[in-house]
Amino acid sequence: MRSHSVSAEGGTAAVLFQEEGDNEESHIYDTIKGSDFLADQDVAERLVKTMPLEIYQLDHWGMPWSRRLDGRIDQRKFGGYSFPRATYAQDKVGFYEMQTLYDTCLKYENIEFYNEWFCTSILHDNKTFAGVTAIEMKSGDFVVFKAPAGIICTGGAGRIYSFSTYSYSSTPDGLDMAYRAGLGLKDMEFVQFHPTGILPSGILVTEGARGEGGYLVNSDGERFMKKYAPEKLELAPRDVVSRSMIREIQEGRGMVHESGAACLTLDLTHLGEETIKSKLAGIREIGIKFSGVDIVKEPIQIRPVCHYMMGGIHTNIDGSTEISGLWAAGEASCNSTHGSNRLGANSTSECLVWGRITGKLAVQYASNKDSPSINGEQVHKEEKRIYDGIFRGRGQVNPYEVRKSLTDNMDDKAYVFRDNEGLSEGIKRLSELRDMTWKHVDDRAKEYNTNFFNVMEADSMFRIAEVVLMGAYIRRESRGAHARTDYPKRDDLNFLKHTLAYYSDSQPHMAWHPVTFTRYAPVERKY
Ligand SMILES: Cc1cc2nc3c(=O)[nH]c(=O)nc-3n(C[C@H](O)[C@H](O)[C@H](O)COP(=O)(O)OP(=O)(O)OC[C@H]3O[C@@H](n4cnc5c(N)ncnc54)[C@H](O)[C@@H]3O)c2cc1C
């Protein structure tokens, strides 16, 4: 219940109101267009066709969806959709979804939870899954879990940026396990910047706030989105809105927050106290507590903030990875639903759909398999990596300071706009930081040694941040969330393909993977 999913605020996308004009084809097209045509189209179709069932299943399991006066489940507007499609529960959708799923799991005695365990590596025998190594945080014991099948669902890794909406636990150790085990990481250069992170913390104001009618305003008091997306205005997809905001700031129409950061404002005052209190109560509380602003009374200062990773562990449409017996689901995976830009509310949907798909496949696979044999050498190598290489490492440099420099480097060089010079500097800075003597743990305790876990997380950040920077460096075009000032156009001739990164002892080995087209040829994206 402390997973980042509990902080999802705005909604879960599904087509529910066909009788009022919505339809699946429109959700499929919105997702593909939102992705800047990099989504695998068969995958987008599967998402859309499975989702209504997931909404009703959660409903039957006790999910308190917000409802219309007539008792039917309500939906709100969200960015990039042609129809109100975000199914919500006030502004705490993830919290209620997680509560509902967790409660449901508790009904079954054969579901066992290993809470507060830290997985460190994937064990496999020649690309057949065999289990994982993990540390029980409470005791500090290093343990091997044997398993015929597994699913990686370790979430996104947005804490590789300093200004981020993510939980502090959203570090890339899960992606890194997969990467070190030889699995490809796909499309990692596509990082989503959400338009409305509050200052100075980066905590999210849900897109639902604009869905309910909120305005973005510059220092001239102008609703500037009318210049950039005349039809959709503030409800254009996130990449479009974030770029427009940075342009406003660059052209001198931003404001300055008391922390010194450039920003704009989100105005919700015209919605009125009643709507805000009934539909955006959590956001109001966040504004008061973390920015000292009551959104009922005054606009709140915001700026684009790292929010989601479109990339992840390369899987096929079923969530299968390149290791047999191992699947990946949720934000850690990249089954290519979202291409180069995810639409808001489509991520919790993806988690629900591929949670079901991979769960079923893993169970079928495991029931026909014997207990795997473990390769002792892999376990020994992993023990040496974490205990000799990190726990007993030596050095003068403070690992927390190095980690902060790494995340600042990402904010600086791989933000909304990127270019060749910035990315090369970012890659160079990363390798300078890596060479410092920071890989050591000051706390010698065995039990609950958070210092140890923090340094292991920082170690994984180096490899994954490098993959993001390298992907951004070699993708010499602008597509979705990846905007290069030196290559401002989308280049379908050369880059209508997924990026893949594989681990090697020096730099990541980069490769390409085709996009699946089943319905729509790429066209220019306008909103
Ligand atoms: C503030 C915020 C608001 C959002 N709002 C929405 C929204 O309204 N609608 C929407 O569709 N999407 C939203 N998203 C995106 C969406 O919430 C996430 O993409 C999704 O919830 C990710 O779920 P997950 O299960 O993949 O990962 P998580 O919920 O992050 O869960 C990962 C789990 O893996 C565990 N883990 C990680 N590493 C290890 C390890 N090494 N060993 C053992 N365990 C490990 C973690 O402890 C955690 O329990 C939002 C995201 C944020 C940050």
Side-chain angles (χ1 to χ4, degrees), residues 3-5 7-12 78 93 117-119 153-156 165-166 170 173-174 177 204 307-308 329-332 342 344-349 351:
S3 303
H4 184 60
S5 291
S7 43
E9 296 172 355
T12 297
F78 242 61
V93 73
W117 283 73
F118 187 94
C119 277
C153 42
T154 49
T165 65
Y166 281 84
S170 295
D173 39 282
M177 268 194 291
L204 178 78
H307 179 65
Y308 183 80
E331 197 175 331
R342 165 181 78 98
N346 254 353
S347 171
T348 44
S349 300
C351 290

Side-chain angles (χ1 to χ4, degrees), residues 67-113:
R67 288 177 184 273
R68 297 178 175 188
L69 287 176
D70 66 6
R72 286 182 298 170
I73 295 171
D74 198 14
Q75 295 192 304
R76 60 162 51 124
K77 287 184 188 163
F78 242 61
Y81 293 108
S82 315
F83 204 85
R85 210 171 267 149
T87 327
Y88 64 103
Q90 207 185 45
D91 55 359
K92 303 184 184 72
V93 73
F95 172 77
Y96 289 121
E97 286 174 341
M98 287 291 282
Q99 191 78 51
T100 305
L101 291 167
Y102 186 62
D103 270 2
T104 305
C105 287
L106 292 180
K107 284 193 217 152
Y108 298 92
E109 279 182 1
N110 55 350
I111 298 180
E112 196 166 333
F113 289 90

Side-chain angles (χ1 to χ4, degrees), residues 101 151 172 174 208 300 368 389 396 431 491-492 495 507:
L101 291 167
I151 306 169
I300 190 166
N368 300 319
Q396 305 302 319
S431 92
D491 177 357
D492 287 341
F495 291 104
Q507 279 191 328

Side-chain angles (χ1 to χ4, degrees), residues 269-290:
T269 52
H270 56 282
L271 299 184
E273 188 162 350
E274 206 184 302
T275 304
I276 290 178
K277 283 189 172 164
S278 65
K279 292 190 163 165
L280 299 166
I283 294 303
R284 178 166 182 245
E285 193 184 333
I286 285 171
I288 292 171
K289 286 192 178 154
F290 296 94

